Amino acid sequence: MEYLEIAKDLVDRVTRRGVEAETIIIENETTMIRVNGGQVEELSRAGSKGLGVRIIKEGHMGYAYTSDFRAASLEDTWQGALALAKSADADEFRTLPQLEDMGPYEDLQIYDPQFLTFSTDEKLAFILNVERAALEYDPRIVTTSFCTYQDGLSRVYMANSRGFMGYYESTGVAAYLQAVARDEEGQTAGPGLGFSIFYRDLDHQKIGDEAARRALDLLGGKPVETQRTAVIMDPFVAVEFLSFVSEALTAESMQRGRSFLMGKLGQKVASNKVSLLDDGRLTGGFASAPFDGEGVPTSATHLINQGTLKQLLYDTYSAQKDDTKSTGNAHRSSYRDLPSPAPTNFYLQPSSQPLQETITRVEKGLYMTTSMNTGGINPVNGDYSVGASGLWIERGQVVKPVTGVTVAGNMLDMLQNVVAVASDLRFIPIHGSIGAPTIVIEGMTIGGR
């Protein structure tokens, strides 16, 4: 808590100059291990800490940061921020957030108290077991790639001249790999992923088995005929799609005219099956925190409710522009960054319909289990075009694997053509903390042979 006192002391010193001030300190510890063929390819442990000072006076803003916590360096940092503020253009919407009641203490379960007790050797043994599980699943699994363990511990300290002081710590662990399957017809790959706030929650067998199974499912796959048909997106695919939808739902994107949902607030933009939420207080969420990147309490925000666009994601600056309140979505990637609006735990609300029932109701279509985006998804105009692999469905049954096709559409049309949502909500933190169940979208274009 010494750092919280440093943050508060710096704010007190700066505000004597008649300005608004905010100090943020972020401390990180990370481990990364990558293995291949039972051997360590890469192992790194790193720690970092830094401090950022934001100064605002009558709409003039300056920001400076440092990783040097000596008194002279801290003095130079806030003096630098003050000098930048004096030379910056005024912006009437630049201000610090009003102090809000944080409410009663709430355990968000974002910190593993045992995190620091696990040794590097234990972590290495874990990721080697992940690879071994995939390779032993079936003789056709011949190798793996990107077999990686990562973890992190983060501590955030913040104070500002509006009276806010806050601190929290969080942890996260994840393991990922691609299993490679091969037979006489060719080669395929499938991902496996596990993540949690708590190290003990990871299951090496489950992660390895998932990668192997997904790779084997695609063996023998070939393109289908070019056509318009239904697409079933499994969570791995759906979270990528939703990550671009989330970009379009920030107030900053709307204000800059860079969203395919421009001008549609209050309108029907999706089918009744679609309800999108962002919840910065989700218990155990990878992006959960008691307050956001500028000290505003996080909250649950209903963005699209049964197809109607109800709300956007705001930080204080974008909220001032629209004469509304921040939704607690100010994000900072590090102490070097100023806050900007971004999603926290963003997800599509699941239904009660089991996955298998969702699939069996599809007359014909592609069950899309893998996508490859090479720049074909654009949240500004809504274009969506990706390479895809998966399983072909007819009369609710899997009939053959499919590879080497493209799937294309427009994101607004896709939201409006969601005809089914399953119950298998899964968060996959590759594109951020995004969650999705399996969804069925009608009328998409499959580009094949």
Side-chain angles (χ1 to χ4, degrees), residues 65 87 115 163 189 294 371 377:
Y65 57 84
S87 62
F115 181 84
E294 53 187 359
S371 64
I377 307 179

Side-chain angles (χ1 to χ4, degrees), residues 19-276:
V19 297
E20 291 188 289
E22 167 200 86
T23 302
I24 185 169
I25 298 174
I26 300 178
E27 233 189 332
N28 289 314
E29 297 177 34
T30 60
T31 300
M32 196 279 281
I33 306 170
R34 180 173 292 174
V35 300
N36 184 263
Q39 302 297 314
V40 178
E41 283 192 331
E42 186 177 353
L43 191 159
S44 64
R45 295 187 64 190
S48 66
K49 66 177 180 180
L51 172 148
V53 180
R54 180 163 55 147
I55 290 176
I56 301 173
K57 182 173 184 179
E58 297 174 351
H60 301 268
M61 184 185 74
Y63 189 71
Y65 57 84
T66 184
S67 59
D68 184 349
F69 280 61
R70 289 176 297 181
S73 176
L74 297 180
E75 184 79 8
D76 288 344
T77 301
W78 76 258
Q79 291 278 10
L82 183 60
L84 289 170
K86 288 177 179 178
S87 62
D89 292 334
D91 185 333
E92 62 178 308
F93 303 113
R94 289 289 180 198
T95 185
L96 295 181
Q98 295 292 335
L99 183 64
E100 292 187 41
D101 182 10
M102 296 293 290
Y105 173 78
E106 181 181 357
D107 184 4
L108 300 178
Q109 297 181 31
I110 57 174
Y111 177 72
D112 183 355
Q114 295 183 310
F115 181 84
L116 294 174
T117 68
F118 300 110
S119 68
T120 301
D121 286 344
E122 286 179 276
K123 297 169 185 179
L124 173 58
F126 177 85
I127 195 61
L128 287 171
N129 283 333
V130 170
E131 183 183 50
R132 187 176 299 113
L135 292 171
E136 293 178 352
Y137 187 87
D138 187 284
R140 292 170 293 173
I141 302 297
V142 294
T143 189
T144 68
S145 60
F146 309 110
C147 190
T148 305
Y149 169 92
Q150 287 183 285
D151 67 29
L153 164 64
S154 179
R155 299 185 180 98
V156 177
Y157 312 79
M158 185 179 290
N160 70 29
S161 54
R162 297 284 179 98
F164 175 79
M165 284 182 68
Y167 157 81
Y168 69 89
E169 54 188 344
S170 59
T171 56
V173 292
Y176 175 84
L177 82 160
Q178 290 264 1
V180 179
R182 186 182 301 148
D183 64 9
E184 62 280 358
E185 293 189 59
Q187 182 172 294
T188 57
L193 172 69
F195 74 96
S196 179
I197 300 298
F198 302 93
Y199 177 87
R200 290 295 189 201
D201 284 351
L202 291 189
D203 184 334
H204 71 267
Q205 192 71 46
K206 185 176 179 180
I207 299 166
D209 287 357
E210 177 181 52
R213 185 177 64 254
R214 292 173 72 93
L216 291 167
D217 282 347
L218 299 177
L219 279 176
K222 294 179 174 57
V224 294
E225 297 288 338
T226 296
Q227 58 191 285
R228 284 178 65 84
T229 189
V231 167
I232 308 167
M233 288 186 173
D234 95 336
F236 269 87
V237 177
V239 295
E240 181 181 61
F241 165 53
L242 291 179
S243 71
F244 287 92
V245 175
S246 74
E247 288 184 36
L249 285 168
T250 68
E252 182 178 61
S253 294
M254 293 285 191
Q255 291 164 358
R256 292 184 175 184
R258 299 185 58 79
S259 170
F260 72 93
L261 294 169
M262 274 287 298
K264 298 189 182 300
L265 195 61
Q267 297 180 24
K268 195 84 168 175
V269 297
S271 81
N272 290 338
K273 304 284 185 183
V274 176
S275 289
L276 290 172

Side-chain angles (χ1 to χ4, degrees), residues 311-385:
Q311 179 62 288
L312 305 176
L313 300 176
Y314 286 97
D315 66 351
T316 296
Y317 179 69
S318 59
Q320 289 286 321
K321 282 188 165 184
D322 282 354
D323 193 25
T324 188
K325 287 185 60 177
S326 169
T327 55
N329 283 89
H331 174 71
R332 295 169 112 138
S333 297
S334 80
Y335 65 88
R336 298 179 180 89
D337 298 325
L338 284 164
S340 61
T344 57
N345 304 296
F346 180 93
Y347 66 100
L348 175 63
Q349 189 168 313
S351 74
S352 59
Q353 186 179 86
L355 171 61
Q356 193 55 47
E357 184 180 335
T358 302
I359 295 171
T360 56
R361 291 188 177 190
V362 175
E363 182 64 23
K364 184 181 75 169
L366 175 65
Y367 185 9
M368 191 172 161
T369 60
T370 303
S371 64
M372 181 166 30
N373 173 30
T374 55
I377 307 179
N378 188 331
V380 179
N381 61 20
D383 286 347
Y384 178 92
S385 179

